[in-house]
Amino acid sequence: MRSPCAPAASWTGLGLLDMAPTDSAENHREIEWQFDVDDLGAVEAWLRQHARNGEWEFHFGEPEEQIDSYYDTPDWRFFRAGYVLRIRQARNTPAEATLKSFGTRKDGLRQRHKINERMKLEGITDDPTGSVIRSSGPVGQRVRAMLSRHSAQMLRRLFDAQTRRTRIAVQRDEAHVAEIALDDVSIA
């Protein structure tokens, strides 16, 4: 197996961003602050204690379970193009395929390009890659552009991230201004 850091001049210039978005997709720049904490419960408790703090309010959603599976080809085509392919699955929710650029990260602030596509797949399945490959949307188009004609055998699952996510809507003067996601993640 070749190292993911091996040069790949033939894939460097692939225009993953040049295809048009469709109605079932989002194509945008993602900006988020990411922090690692030792005690997620302490953070949640602090936020709950300050749920109404003057003009700021935190509104807690119910925790959700999701599985994020990460894929690449045996020769690391997505990695070498500067992207990661993720398929997110959760119960009672359509699956979502995402291409994310590596982007930049400084002092917790992360900025990257992100393309999302809702899949015609509900619940959790062991191998959702066929749905992505058959998709006519922007993620499916880009995935097929990266693969050879034997595409089904080309995608390999790298790992799964099992997440328990609590979303917290942040409001100021009754206007939604941000979201906090408390993620408890285990890698499988």
Side-chain angles (χ1 to χ4, degrees), residues 52-140:
R52 292 201 177 6
N53 190 0
E55 58 198 40
W56 295 94
E57 292 184 16
F58 302 134
H59 298 274
F60 288 76
E62 290 297 317
E64 305 165 349
E65 305 287 331
Q66 63 192 35
I67 298 174
D68 292 337
S69 300
Y70 291 84
Y71 295 86
D72 209 328
T73 61
D75 60 357
W76 297 92
R77 291 179 189 181
F78 291 97
F79 178 87
R80 295 183 319 187
Y83 279 79
V84 63
L85 172 61
R86 177 192 74 202
I87 300 175
R88 174 169 288 164
Q89 299 180 84
R91 299 208 186 286
N92 305 316
T93 304
E96 179 181 74
T98 302
L99 283 169
K100 286 188 179 191
S101 69
F102 297 150
T104 59
R105 186 175 191 159
K106 182 178 180 185
D107 299 327
L109 179 65
R110 184 165 200 150
Q111 298 185 52
R112 56 190 165 188
H113 187 257
K114 177 177 169 180
I115 305 165
N116 285 345
E117 178 181 348
R118 279 189 220 102
M119 307 304 303
K120 295 178 182 173
L121 181 66
E122 292 249 351
I124 298 174
T125 180
D126 286 338
D127 186 12
T129 58
S131 293
V132 176
I133 293 167
R134 289 187 302 275
S135 167
S136 60
V139 175

Side-chain angles (χ1 to χ4, degrees), residues 14-31:
L14 185 62
L16 288 176
L17 303 181
D18 297 336
M19 298 176 188
T22 65
D23 292 340
S24 66
E26 296 175 11
N27 187 340
H28 63 276
R29 190 171 107 197
E30 176 181 67
I31 302 172

